[in-house]
Amino acid sequence: MKTKKLSLTFFALILLFTCTLCGCSFSGKTPDEIVKMRLFFMDNKYIIHACGMISDEDGNEYDYTNSKEALTNSLNNGNKIIEIDFHYTSDHELVCGHAWGDLYLDGKQLTPGEAPTLSDFLNCKVQNKFTPLTFEDVTKFMEENKDFYVVTDTKETDIETYKMIAEKYPDLSKRFIVQIYHASEYDDVKKAGFPYIIYTLYEATEDELTEKALLKAAKKPLIGFTFHSDLASDSDFVYTMLKTKTPMFVHTVNDDFLIDEFLNMGISGIYTDRTDLVTKATE
């Protein structure tokens, strides 16, 4: 992750900074609201992954909990952008979580891959320790905390999910930054009422990762592209991303040294399990 692969030219860094800050896009001037949201992400730097790391009473740390305790902890630490995983219970209720096997009902682990009913979900503990969240719980947190934004991870859902959210919670549509997994999803999400969209590349096919495909995707006013940190060590890929003139985010990085490396090379923001970085930056 060092040497040539992490090394961008001075010109490339200036190009990235200028185009990101000024809101340039491949197709022309980027709408002002998109520029403002890009700057908000750049200013905050950190997207807290799956509600962030949380410790139990014995000091053991857990990631991927998407739990009430983790979300509360992230907000209490001053974080403003929090990524949350969503999926449906067996009776089609939208709830938070990464995998059903993370849940325990009466001390017994649920069957991995098998969705519970909402009733059972509400009686579960995440990792047998933490309180699960429903989508409605998240909206209540958003109503109580007006200055934080949710990045969605809803790969098991479809466009009907976003239509439901927009219809039921129209006042919150601009506080959800929707992650899409394929460029073809952009128009439907935008039409559903969500102007802020990130294109995450971890499900992209080889054809979708070509320079031609990425430049075409960047014609839409994205908040940014996000991709695994390993791709940021591929100089050819990074130069292609620079050509899109769109902010870049990497996931999931917890190491201080690597976080500094990525930010110094021009990456706009970091997905991280750490919840202490904002506090640390102000110390």
Side-chain angles (χ1 to χ4, degrees):
M1 291 286 293
K2 300 174 187 176
T3 69
K4 164 181 159 196
K5 290 190 174 180
L6 266 182
S7 173
L8 296 178
T9 66
F10 180 74
F11 172 76
L13 284 169
I14 294 299
L15 174 65
L16 175 63
F17 179 78
T18 303
C19 289
T20 302
L21 190 63
C22 297
C24 301
S25 72
F26 186 69
S27 59
K29 181 171 171 57
T30 304
D32 288 345
E33 67 174 347
I34 302 300
V35 174
K36 288 178 182 177
M37 186 56 72
R38 287 180 176 181
L39 291 172
F40 179 74
F41 269 69
M42 291 175 67
D43 288 343
N44 283 273
K45 293 186 181 65
Y46 307 112
I47 300 103
I48 306 305
H49 176 240
C51 289
M53 197 83 73
I54 186 68
S55 299
D56 65 14
E57 57 188 14
D58 297 320
N60 301 308
E61 291 187 321
Y62 295 82
D63 57 10
Y64 278 105
T65 69
N66 292 280
S67 65
K68 181 177 181 181
E69 291 83 357
L71 180 53
T72 299
N73 179 61
S74 290
L75 292 172
N76 287 344
N77 278 327
N79 295 286
K80 304 299 183 188
I81 307 171
I82 300 174
E83 186 244 26
I84 304 178
D85 298 295
F86 297 100
H87 49 182
Y88 281 105
T89 62
S90 61
D91 43 355
H92 205 68
E93 295 293 334
L94 193 60
V95 297
C96 307
H98 182 258
W100 299 121
D102 294 338
L103 297 175
Y104 288 72
L105 181 62
D106 297 326
K108 182 179 179 182
Q109 183 184 20
L110 295 191
T111 303
E114 189 173 310
T117 63
L118 176 63
S119 177
D120 280 347
F121 175 84
L122 293 173
N123 287 307
C124 283
K125 289 290 185 182
V126 184
Q127 300 297 354
N128 209 24
K129 294 175 181 292
F130 306 109
T131 309
L133 286 166
T134 65
F135 183 79
E136 286 192 5
D137 291 331
V138 172
T139 64
K140 289 175 183 174
F141 270 93
M142 294 173 78
E143 288 163 357
E144 292 167 2
N145 301 270
K146 304 292 186 184
D147 58 349
F148 103 89
Y149 292 74
V150 172
V151 174
T152 67
D153 192 349
T154 56
K155 52 188 170 292
E156 295 177 8
T157 66
D158 55 27
I159 191 58
E160 297 306 317
T161 299
Y162 291 107
K163 290 179 179 177
M164 177 276 291
I165 295 170
E167 181 178 349
K168 196 169 180 181
Y169 305 98
D171 294 342
L172 296 178
S173 62
K174 289 190 175 182
R175 290 177 56 202
F176 286 102
I177 293 82
V178 175
Q179 286 189 147
I180 59 172
Y181 308 92
H182 305 281
S184 59
E185 298 168 357
Y186 180 95
D187 287 340
D188 285 342
V189 171
K190 184 74 178 290
K191 287 176 185 175
F194 297 89
Y196 304 132
I197 299 171
I198 289 176
Y199 183 7
T200 182
L201 300 178
Y202 71 81
E203 288 192 355
T205 64
E206 287 188 16
D207 289 343
E208 291 173 317
L209 291 175
T210 63
E211 180 173 311
K212 181 179 179 181
L214 291 168
L215 289 174
K216 182 179 179 181
K219 290 181 179 180
K220 306 291 186 181
L222 297 162
I223 298 305
F225 288 94
T226 185
F227 44 87
H228 193 275
S229 56
D230 287 349
L231 277 176
S233 69
D234 182 331
S235 58
D236 291 335
F237 173 78
V238 172
Y239 277 113
T240 295
M241 297 309 298
L242 285 167
K243 290 180 184 179
T244 71
K245 301 179 183 178
T246 303
M248 298 184 290
F249 310 108
V250 297
H251 62 82
T252 303
V253 188
N254 296 322
D255 179 77
D256 282 317
F257 175 80
L258 285 177
I259 288 170
D260 288 342
E261 282 275 299
F262 287 127
L263 292 175
N264 288 335
M265 70 179 278
I267 296 296
S268 297
I270 309 289
Y271 284 65
T272 181
D273 298 309
R274 303 257 309 267
T275 64
D276 64 318
L277 293 168
V278 172
T279 306
K280 230 174 130 183
T282 59
E283 289 176 349

